[in-house]
Amino acid sequence: MTSFLQYCVNTLGYLRLMTVSDLIDIAILSFLFYKCIGIFQRTNAAKVAKALLLIIVAMWISYQFNLNAISFILNKAVELGLLALVVIFQPEIRRFLERIGSNNVSRISRFFRNETPVSDVEEAIQETVEAYGEMSKNRVGALMVFERETNLSNIISSGTPFQSTVTSELLKNIFYPNAPLHDGAVVVRQGKIAAAACMLPMSESMNLSKDLGMRHRAGLGMSERSDAVVAIVSEETGAISVVVNGNLRRHLSPETLGRILRNELLPREESASGKRRRPSLPFWKGRGGES
């Protein structure tokens, strides 16, 4: 009991010595740890993290029991492992830096352009829901990407430039089988179609369901690298899916699609009707699972 009280007294003494810079330092480290945990959860990095944890435990045991040979080997393995980690996590590190850079560019660009009218986004959502409902019935494949904070100029440049209002008829014509632009994705920026037939990066996850086609894998890949909202219609089954933050929800009704798009794309502040929009619900967990 005495040792516990002494520990508490020492802890309070350390807390009194903390400054504002210490708090900022702790906050930054906590944020970085949080992001690293998120990367581990979304990729195969969790397996590597478990292996690192085992190595650390083995190093501690070898130190405690004076196992000099094992300790020497593990220390050398850790030194070389730091370089190996950079190689192993190169895709994740690249995506992390890309998202930071594109988010900063997007925030800066908003100072030099007008905010997107809510009516444009609402109209784009309504037209998308109508088109997806019909394409789902007719089993016409579709893939749309709605840009948010992350700048998608590199994706837009890979397709055919557009500068058009989103309409149901236009979307059905773009995705009509054997139409010139039906392959690839339509990118919507600020409620307008920015490009069609865009090439999206494929997901590198090894844990995807076997029945997912190329559109779903491309949608997941786009969502893993950005904060975009991706809407998909399966050509095989006609099922409607949405991907947000690397999470996939499948077999949605057109009404559910519209509700999700409004929650994710429309501002949280009071809408033009004067009603306060409710905050976005916590998104679904799992990848490639049924809704």
Side-chain angles (χ1 to χ4, degrees), residues 36 39-50 88-89 92:
C36 289
I39 291 174
F40 289 157
Q41 290 177 337
R42 292 193 299 270
T43 66
N44 292 326
K47 298 176 182 178
V48 179
K50 292 177 182 177
I88 293 172
F89 293 119
E92 285 78 13

Side-chain angles (χ1 to χ4, degrees), residues 7-271:
Y7 174 78
C8 293
V9 171
N10 292 337
T11 302
L12 291 175
Y14 289 133
L15 290 176
R16 283 196 293 268
L17 294 175
M18 291 183 66
T19 62
V20 175
S21 60
D22 294 324
L23 294 176
I24 295 174
D25 197 17
I26 293 171
I28 292 173
L29 286 175
S30 301
F31 175 77
L32 291 176
F33 278 124
Y34 173 77
K35 287 296 183 182
C36 289
I37 291 172
I39 291 174
F40 289 157
Q41 290 177 337
R42 292 193 299 270
T43 66
N44 292 326
K47 298 176 182 178
V48 179
K50 292 177 182 177
L52 291 175
L53 182 60
L54 289 174
I55 291 174
I56 292 172
V57 172
M59 290 179 65
W60 180 81
I61 293 174
S62 64
Y63 176 77
Q64 292 295 322
F65 292 94
N66 296 319
L67 305 177
N68 296 325
I70 295 177
S71 180
F72 175 79
I73 293 173
L74 290 176
N75 285 329
K76 291 300 180 182
V78 169
E79 292 176 6
L80 296 175
L82 293 176
L83 295 176
L85 286 177
V86 175
V87 176
I88 293 172
F89 293 119
Q90 185 268 337
E92 285 78 13
I93 294 172
R94 186 190 69 244
R95 285 186 218 129
F96 179 70
L97 295 176
E98 285 176 351
R99 291 191 67 170
I100 291 177
S102 57
N103 282 340
N104 289 335
V105 170
S106 180
R107 291 190 183 98
I108 294 172
S109 65
R110 282 202 298 274
F111 286 102
F112 302 96
R113 72 188 184 198
N114 296 326
E115 290 294 328
T116 307
V118 174
S119 58
D120 289 350
V121 179
E122 177 65 41
E123 183 180 355
I125 292 173
Q126 291 176 357
E127 295 293 328
T128 299
V129 170
E130 181 181 343
Y132 268 48
E134 294 190 32
M135 288 190 289
S136 176
K137 292 178 183 178
N138 299 323
R139 295 192 177 184
V140 175
L143 179 59
M144 292 182 66
V145 179
F146 294 86
E147 183 187 59
R148 293 201 288 182
E149 294 289 333
T150 305
N151 189 285
L152 301 180
S153 294
N154 58 328
I155 301 298
I156 292 172
S157 63
S158 69
T160 300
F162 259 80
Q163 199 54 250
S164 172
T165 301
V166 179
T167 66
S168 173
E169 294 302 321
L170 177 57
L171 292 176
K172 287 185 287 185
N173 277 302
I174 290 175
F175 291 115
Y176 187 81
N178 300 322
L181 302 177
H182 84 283
D183 281 332
V186 166
V187 178
V188 177
R189 167 181 282 175
Q190 295 183 286
K192 306 290 184 182
I193 296 179
C198 297
M199 302 299 295
L200 304 186
M202 292 293 173
S203 175
E204 298 177 1
S205 174
M206 304 298 292
N207 302 320
L208 300 181
S209 175
K210 299 294 184 182
D211 64 339
L212 292 181
M214 299 301 289
R215 285 189 179 87
H216 290 84
R217 293 176 184 273
L220 282 165
M222 185 73 261
S223 184
E224 289 168 359
R225 292 165 174 79
S226 71
D227 64 348
V229 179
V230 185
I232 307 163
V233 177
S234 170
E235 187 173 355
E236 289 74 21
T237 65
I240 298 173
S241 306
V242 172
V243 193
V244 179
N245 297 328
N247 297 311
L248 172 66
R249 187 176 182 182
R250 306 170 65 188
H251 303 291
L252 306 176
S253 66
E255 293 75 18
T256 304
L257 170 66
R259 185 164 60 252
I260 293 171
L261 292 179
R262 289 183 178 91
N263 283 340
E264 298 295 336
L265 299 176
L266 291 178
R268 307 288 184 243
E269 295 82 12
E270 293 185 10
S271 61

